[in-house]
Amino acid sequence: MKKYGLLCLLALLSIKLFAPPNCEIYKRDKICYESCQEAMKAIRYWQGSSQSQQHFNRSIELCPGFAYSHMEKAVPFLKRGKFIQWKKMIDKAVELEPQEYLGYRGWCRLQFLRDYEGAIKDIERLKELVDYDIGFCQTGDYHLNIALALCYKEIGQIDKAKEIFEQHLTAHNAYIGLYDFYHLGVIEYETGAYQKAIEHLTRQIRENDYLGETYYFLALAHKALGNEQEYRSTLKTAKAYYQAGKFRTDTYTETIDKIYFVDIIEELEAANASLKTPPK
Amino acid sequence: MKKHIPLLLSILIAGCIDQGHHQDVGDIPFDRAMDDPDFNLCGEESSIKQYYVRGSDHKPAGYKGEKRALEEAITEQYVFPVSESESGYVTIRFVVNCRGQSGRFRVEKMDFNYQPKNFNPELVQQLLDITRNLNGWIPVSREGKTYDFYQYLTFKIRNGQIEKILP
């Protein structure tokens, strides 16, 4: 548990949370200083409220090059399904400060729209632009390298996805995310590499034993290899974890490789039915 | 009294302008031209929550049987021929009241470059009808009390087929 807490802390320390900018650095530019102050007023109101949006509008009017206001003004549009407007605004922020907002836009395209190709373009462009670590996605769940790998997986470029996973996870001082080995295990399972899937999913349990989903795929891998006993006991663990509330949730969207309670129940029913079926 | 008329008028006008300003991002006010007059909110317009509201005392919105049941309810009914010209995103935004009933549907359509796009009206109508008939919404709640909330569904469409249902 301590390790889990430390991981969370490290992730929080390293992700870009887009904290409000320090307006004092704009003091020499009176107009942009005022624009920054307007943005500070905007974030005091409820996100997406008319008051907040008005202050962002004023901020942008004063200093159209103030990227933070374009990005922050766009956020409620993204969360509320108004994607055409969101894209216009976030594009402006990216145009003004690509190094700051490319990774963020890429992640949002993946998280909210499953726009894998768009996310790949953004993250890869960021990698070309900077010579430092590209950092984490907005939620802190993944390093952007892993987000990139997940995009490749989803468009069917499995080898490329695996390559990115391996490069990232074996690098010196690699940061291992809370769900990295889960996803790698699912990739191996889905491509029929069941033994490797078991290795990665077991590693996931060692790193972060908090997900019913991990046990579900571990059970399926055991089933594929004919390990009947492990299959059944692991599937029961998946159910118990899910019932105890140990499964992935996300405030805004469904997570990748998500498994639901009904998936576990259906698999359990299939397992029980196969017990009752007399051998031919 | 007469001398107060300009003052009263200016207050009234300011009030009207202010009303317009009170619309938040994504709000869906009632429109008698397109909305069902029998769909009623439980609370005030201004207190409609967002589906993602979360906190120590708030339970976010959901769907009976989780997302899997929602997906099944949609894909079981959706029938549209494969069509190369029908690709992009159709987003349907709406309100769910504290009893889980839905209304005030609004549609936004875009291509994969996030540009407005017109889809075949039959495809859009079908998605709209299916969304209207979904009856498993679990409202946002707090200490056992349920609330009205805004929800949206985005359909990622490729060649006329549903590739993904979001969020």
Side-chain angles (χ1 to χ4, degrees):
Chain A
M1 194 60 205
K2 267 186 189 169
K3 189 180 176 186
Y4 181 68
L6 186 64
L7 276 170
C8 288
L9 183 67
L10 279 172
L12 279 173
L13 289 174
S14 7
I15 55 174
K16 272 189 180 144
L17 286 168
F18 296 120
N22 175 9
C23 294
E24 298 309 304
I25 62 172
Y26 300 102
K27 260 200 159 162
R28 284 185 182 176
D29 183 338
K30 200 182 162 220
I31 305 275
C32 283
Y33 178 69
E34 213 182 306
S35 165
C36 186
Q37 296 286 358
E38 280 294 327
M40 295 306 98
K41 285 179 195 165
I43 59 171
R44 282 187 209 129
Y45 290 96
W46 192 253
Q47 190 181 62
S49 66
S50 58
Q51 297 95 327
S52 170
Q53 290 286 306
Q54 279 168 33
H55 283 296
F56 279 129
N57 288 342
R58 176 83 183 123
S59 165
I60 292 166
E61 213 177 281
L62 283 165
C63 185
F66 190 51
Y68 173 82
S69 283
H70 291 280
M71 181 280 297
E72 202 61 65
K73 181 179 183 240
V75 175
F77 289 86
L78 175 74
K79 291 179 179 175
R80 299 174 192 185
K82 296 186 74 69
F83 301 115
I84 297 172
Q85 295 93 325
W86 169 73
K87 184 67 168 28
K88 252 188 196 168
M89 290 178 237
I90 195 64
D91 283 357
K92 189 69 196 171
V94 169
E95 183 194 316
L96 292 164
E97 287 183 26
Q99 298 180 356
E100 190 70 14
Y101 296 116
L102 263 172
Y104 167 71
R105 185 178 68 181
W107 167 252
C108 292
R109 293 169 95 161
L110 167 62
Q111 187 189 10
F112 283 85
L113 288 144
R114 295 297 193 263
D115 172 10
Y116 308 115
E117 292 86 354
I120 289 171
K121 263 189 211 162
D122 279 350
I123 299 171
E124 289 193 335
R125 204 178 130 211
L126 177 65
K127 281 170 86 106
E128 283 166 17
L129 268 180
V130 303
D131 58 2
Y132 49 81
D133 187 339
I134 57 171
F136 292 78
C137 68
Q138 183 71 3
T139 59
D141 289 342
Y142 305 107
H143 190 280
L144 283 172
N145 283 332
I146 299 298
L148 184 63
L150 291 173
C151 289
Y152 275 112
K153 179 217 166 188
E154 293 295 324
I155 60 169
Q157 293 195 33
I158 304 296
D159 290 342
K160 179 88 177 165
K162 279 190 196 175
E163 188 191 315
I164 298 171
F165 259 106
E166 274 156 29
Q167 269 176 9
H168 180 82
L169 295 172
T170 57
H172 178 60
N173 284 339
Y175 171 83
I176 296 175
L178 293 173
Y179 315 108
D180 293 357
F181 282 99
Y182 169 69
H183 292 294
L184 190 53
V186 174
I187 291 177
E188 298 290 9
Y189 169 77
E190 287 176 348
T191 51
Y194 304 120
Q195 196 52 52
K196 274 191 175 176
I198 290 173
E199 282 167 27
H200 293 314
L201 294 166
T202 307
R203 173 82 189 267
Q204 174 64 44
I205 291 167
R206 220 163 54 230
E207 296 286 338
N208 171 22
D209 184 11
Y210 194 76
L211 299 175
E213 289 96 326
T214 314
Y215 286 95
Y216 173 80
F217 276 105
L218 186 58
L220 293 188
H222 278 303
K223 179 187 179 185
L225 290 175
N227 306 331
E228 272 297 307
Q229 206 180 332
E230 288 91 340
Y231 160 55
R232 288 171 195 285
S233 66
T234 314
L235 201 53
K236 281 180 191 161
T237 309
K239 184 186 173 191
Y241 269 50
Y242 218 99
Q243 284 176 318
K246 292 180 173 182
F247 55 87
R248 273 197 84 179
T249 56
D250 182 277
T251 308
Y252 305 103
T253 59
E254 178 186 54
T255 55
I256 291 172
D257 294 328
K258 176 70 186 148
I259 291 302
Y260 294 95
F261 190 58
V262 67
D263 301 317
I264 298 169
I265 295 301
E266 281 174 6
E267 190 59 37
L268 268 171
E269 282 169 4
N272 292 337
S274 71
L275 267 184
K276 287 172 195 159
T277 311
K280 285 178 186 171
Chain B
M1 182 60 198
K2 268 187 185 170
K3 69 176 181 185
H4 294 304
I5 287 175
L7 178 67
L8 287 170
L9 270 176
S10 62
I11 289 171
L12 197 67
I13 291 165
C16 291
I17 292 168
D18 200 35
Q19 282 239 321
H21 284 175
H22 274 310
Q23 205 157 115
D24 297 339
V25 172
D27 276 3
I28 310 177
F30 174 73
D31 182 341
R32 67 176 70 245
M34 62 168 100
D35 294 330
D36 176 2
D38 293 332
F39 171 73
N40 294 310
L41 297 178
C42 302
E44 297 296 318
E45 288 284 338
S46 58
S47 56
I48 305 177
K49 302 194 180 302
Q50 299 294 332
Y51 78 93
Y52 53 78
V53 67
R54 212 169 268 240
S56 55
D57 50 356
H58 271 105
K59 276 191 185 167
Y63 198 84
K64 284 170 198 157
E66 300 182 285
K67 175 100 180 274
R68 193 69 77 224
L70 175 77
E71 287 171 336
E72 277 175 20
I74 293 166
T75 51
E76 273 171 10
Q77 295 178 68
Y78 182 80
V79 186
F80 196 82
V82 172
S83 167
E84 278 180 23
S85 60
E86 304 302 325
S87 291
Y89 295 92
V90 177
T91 296
I92 302 178
R93 300 171 49 254
F94 50 98
V95 182
V96 181
N97 69 17
C98 73
R99 293 181 287 278
Q101 299 157 334
S102 54
R104 301 189 189 178
F105 298 87
R106 302 289 184 270
V107 183
E108 292 182 24
K109 300 155 283 179
M110 65 181 191
D111 63 18
F112 287 145
N113 292 316
Y114 300 78
Q115 296 302 310
K117 171 195 164 96
N118 282 326
F119 280 80
N120 182 320
E122 279 178 38
L123 180 153
V124 178
Q125 191 57 48
Q126 211 179 119
L127 293 175
L128 198 49
D129 291 342
I130 293 171
T131 304
R132 273 199 182 107
N133 290 329
L134 293 170
N135 57 9
W137 294 111
I138 302 168
V140 169
S141 65
R142 185 183 178 191
E143 291 169 355
K145 191 180 176 215
T146 54
Y147 293 88
D148 307 324
F149 66 99
Y150 285 112
Q151 178 68 53
Y152 76 86
L153 289 176
T154 292
F155 301 91
K156 187 177 183 187
I157 305 287
R158 196 178 295 276
N159 300 328
Q161 307 307 298
I162 299 175
E163 188 175 281
K164 188 79 195 161
I165 301 165
L166 296 151

